């Protein structure tokens, strides 16, 4: 018994009920027709029997799939798109079907199987392609291994009815929406010992300082060993004994750290076979950002984060993984970086080493546009992150290009 929980648009055309022939169906049809013709002409019973044995599964598969298509033509099933999940790169994730509203329960015709095709892609062309078999329909879940970081989208899945002979298949699209369906966070690695400056005009401090005051905050009886300087002598005549002042403590100063990721990658410098140029290097930016922001949050620093094509957002321990799954590698011109908040004094940018043509950087890049449009008085700490030795020349050239600009501190960092 198979339970369904799907919704798909139905075409008004009756052609939608016809299954799609595959290469095996065409070959079987030609062989069957040839065997039938030669058998009748030559009066060969063996050829006629072989043609008939080949035609029976061919006809049965066609009729069975048409029957399933007609059966489902008027039915509406309910969406089974997986919920948004955040997982770590290299982990295994269960793909779940929705447990609600499964009204249809029936047996599939003999020799007919059902599969669920799932295709999720990132904006830098990373792909998850899975075909789930009967175990998904039987148990409502199937294992899916995720290897690479990123935000995965997939607007349409497919439910496929097919025969075991490989002759025909009938596809039903499953709408899943345009939002990201899976967020895969970067791995947390202690890659380097790096403490950027935190904006706000004061250094980071985690310990609390004692403020000396004469205000009557709290008092307790003096105990031998207490600091005599904390004795409240004004209470001696009224209370008839020595009391020690519990002094007020100053909280750590308000500190703020703003981090942007600019994952622009030119095809001339970054090459990849199965994904967009710079996708693997973008993972380095996100892994480094993970370490920095995690350290800042643990020390009470207020953290804000943004990347090309996304909005600036406040970061906490609950959404740091989700935020770092969103950046993607893009070729110039990349989507713009989010604008800094009004009155921002300082921020940091993690970027990939730039590609220089004739010793000049492209002027239509997101990083160039951000620097040109920055408000007066904004200090930018610009860090070019790299790992492969082939990027060392570009990293050094990038630092030299921006070091001479006012209000910009540029540095090359090898992970």
């Amino acid at each position: 018994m198979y339970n369904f929980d799907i919704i798909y648009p139905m075409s008004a055309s009756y052609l939608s009920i016809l299954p799609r022939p595959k290469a095996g169906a065409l070959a079987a049809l030609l062989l069957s027709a040839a065997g039938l013709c030669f058998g009748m002409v030559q009066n060969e019973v063996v050829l006629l029997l072989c043609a008939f044995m080949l035609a029976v599964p061919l006809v049965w598969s066609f009729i069975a799939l048409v029957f399933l298509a007609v059966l489902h033509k008027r039915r509406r099933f309910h969406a089974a798109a997986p919920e948004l999940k955040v997982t770590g790169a290299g982990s295994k994730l269960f793909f779940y079907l929705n447990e609600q509203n499964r009204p249809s329960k029936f047996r599939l015709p003999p020799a007919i199987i059902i599969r669920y095709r799932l295709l999720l892609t990132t904006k830098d062309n990373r792909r998850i392609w899975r075909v789930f078999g009967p175990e998904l329909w039987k148990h409502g879940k199937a294992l899916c291994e995720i290897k690479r970081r990123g935000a995965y989208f997939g607007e349409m899945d497919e439910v496929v009815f097919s025969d075991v002979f490989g002759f025909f298949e009938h596809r039903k699209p499953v709408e899943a929406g345009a939002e990201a369906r899976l967020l895969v966070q970067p791995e947390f690695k202690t890659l380097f010992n790096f403490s950027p400056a935190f904006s706000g005009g004061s250094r980071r401090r985690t310990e609390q300082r004692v403020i000396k005051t004469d205000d009557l905050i709290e008092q307790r009886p003096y105990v031998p060993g207490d600091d005599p300087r904390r004795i409240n002598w004004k209470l001696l005549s009224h209370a008839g004994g020595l009391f020690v002042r519990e002094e007020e403590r100053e909280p750590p100063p308000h500190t703020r750290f703003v981090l942007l990721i600019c994952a622009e990658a030119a095809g001339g410098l970054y090459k990849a076979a199965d994904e967009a140029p710079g996708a693997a290097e973008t993972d380095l930016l996100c892994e480094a950002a993970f370490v920095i922001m995690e350290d800042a949050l643990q020390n009470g620093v207020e953290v804000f984060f943004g990347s090309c094509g996304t909005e600036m957002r406040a970061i906490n321990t609950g959404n740091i993984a989700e935020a770092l799954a969103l950046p993607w590698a893009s070729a110039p011109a990349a989507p713009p970086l989010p604008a800094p908040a009004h009155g921002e004094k300082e921020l940091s940018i993690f970027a990939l080493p730039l590609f220089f043509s004739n010793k000049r950087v492209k002027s239509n890049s997101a990083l160039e546009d951000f620097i040109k449009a920055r408000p007066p008085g904004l200090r930018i700490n610009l860090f070019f992150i790299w790992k492969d030795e082939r990027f060392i020349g570009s990293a050094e050239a990038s630092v030299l290009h921006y070091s001479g600009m006012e209000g910009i501190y540029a540095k090359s960092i090898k992970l």
Side-chain angles (χ1 to χ4, degrees):
M1 302 291 288
Y2 293 92
N3 296 338
F4 294 85
D5 190 12
I6 310 163
I7 188 169
Y8 41 77
M10 294 299 178
S11 173
S13 173
Y14 286 100
L15 294 177
S16 63
I17 67 174
L18 297 179
R20 298 183 181 185
K22 302 173 74 173
L26 299 178
L29 181 61
L30 292 176
L31 290 175
S32 179
L36 181 62
C37 292
F38 282 107
M40 293 180 64
V41 171
Q42 301 293 331
N43 199 20
E44 287 285 346
V45 179
V46 175
L47 283 177
L48 290 173
L49 183 60
C50 291
F52 177 77
M53 293 179 63
L54 188 59
V56 167
L58 186 68
V59 174
W60 167 253
S61 301
F62 183 84
I63 294 176
L65 291 178
V66 170
F67 168 75
L68 288 175
V70 172
L71 181 64
H72 292 143
K73 186 172 180 62
R74 298 290 181 181
R75 295 193 179 189
R76 293 187 62 84
F77 301 94
H78 298 276
E83 296 180 358
L84 181 66
K85 296 181 180 294
V86 178
T87 181
S91 64
K92 295 181 179 181
L93 177 72
F94 277 103
F95 175 80
Y96 288 93
L97 288 183
N98 199 331
E99 295 292 338
Q100 301 176 352
N101 301 322
R102 294 186 177 184
S104 178
K105 295 182 179 181
F106 60 93
R107 293 187 182 276
L108 290 174
I112 302 299
I113 58 176
I114 184 173
R115 291 170 293 170
Y116 193 100
R117 289 178 180 172
L118 170 69
L119 175 61
L120 301 179
T121 60
T122 65
K123 294 184 178 181
D124 44 14
N125 203 33
R126 290 179 172 175
R127 295 193 171 195
I128 298 175
W129 171 257
R130 297 291 184 272
V131 178
F132 299 121
E135 72 279 358
L136 178 62
W137 308 102
K138 183 178 181 180
H139 304 292
K141 64 180 180 179
L143 192 62
C144 183
E145 186 174 1
I146 313 299
K147 295 183 178 180
R148 303 298 297 274
R149 181 207 62 86
Y152 289 83
F153 300 80
E155 298 184 14
M156 194 74 67
D157 298 343
E158 284 184 332
V159 174
V160 182
F161 298 96
S162 62
D163 58 86
V164 297
F165 312 105
F167 292 153
F168 299 97
E169 68 178 16
H170 185 69
R171 301 179 183 178
K172 294 293 185 180
V174 181
E175 293 181 349
E179 300 297 325
R181 296 169 60 185
L182 181 66
L183 299 178
V184 182
Q185 70 187 51
E187 297 181 81
F188 183 84
K189 299 178 181 178
T190 307
L191 300 172
F192 56 93
N193 184 15
F194 171 57
S195 284
F198 295 104
S199 62
S202 59
R203 295 182 178 180
R204 180 178 55 180
R205 188 178 71 248
T206 57
E207 74 278 3
Q208 292 179 326
R209 290 192 313 191
V210 175
I211 303 176
K212 293 186 177 182
T213 175
D214 291 330
D215 296 337
L216 299 180
I217 306 299
E218 290 185 10
Q219 310 289 332
R220 64 171 177 81
Y222 172 79
V223 176
D226 287 337
D227 188 348
R229 292 173 296 180
R230 293 171 53 198
I231 297 176
N232 190 346
W233 298 103
K234 296 180 179 179
L235 287 180
L236 178 60
S237 59
H238 299 283
L242 296 178
F243 284 82
V244 176
R245 181 187 297 110
E246 292 286 348
E247 296 171 321
E248 183 181 359
R249 294 184 177 272
E250 179 189 15
H254 178 75
T255 54
R256 177 185 176 98
F257 176 53
V258 181
L259 176 63
L260 301 179
I261 284 183
C262 184
E264 292 179 285
L269 184 62
Y270 301 90
K271 298 180 181 180
D274 57 347
E275 57 192 23
E281 288 75 20
T282 303
D283 290 344
L284 290 178
L285 301 183
C286 295
E287 290 168 3
F290 205 150
V291 175
I292 298 303
M293 292 196 294
E294 181 76 13
D295 177 68
L297 290 171
Q298 290 180 357
N299 288 281
V301 178
E302 187 180 13
V303 178
F304 290 83
F305 173 74
S307 61
C308 291
T310 68
E311 298 294 331
M312 191 78 72
R313 60 192 299 185
I315 295 299
N316 53 53
T317 55
N319 66 3
I320 182 174
E322 175 184 344
L324 288 173
L326 296 176
W328 73 92
S330 56
L337 287 165
H342 179 72
E344 197 75 68
K345 298 298 183 182
E346 183 177 348
L347 56 80
S348 299
I349 299 178
F350 282 2
L352 298 178
L354 303 177
F355 177 74
F356 289 83
S357 178
N358 296 326
K359 298 183 180 181
R360 297 187 63 180
V361 67
K362 286 185 172 292
S363 59
N364 61 339
S365 68
L367 183 58
E368 287 284 317
D369 293 342
F370 181 86
I371 291 176
K372 291 178 181 178
R374 72 185 189 275
L378 176 65
R379 174 183 169 86
I380 298 178
N381 301 310
L382 184 54
F383 303 100
F384 293 98
I385 310 296
W386 57 281
K387 185 176 182 179
D388 197 307
E389 293 295 335
R390 72 178 187 272
F391 298 125
I392 183 172
S394 297
E396 293 176 352
S398 301
V399 171
L400 290 175
H401 176 75
Y402 287 104
S403 293
M405 297 185 182
E406 183 180 356
I408 295 180
Y409 167 75
K411 184 177 181 181
S412 169
I413 298 179
K414 181 179 184 300
L415 299 187

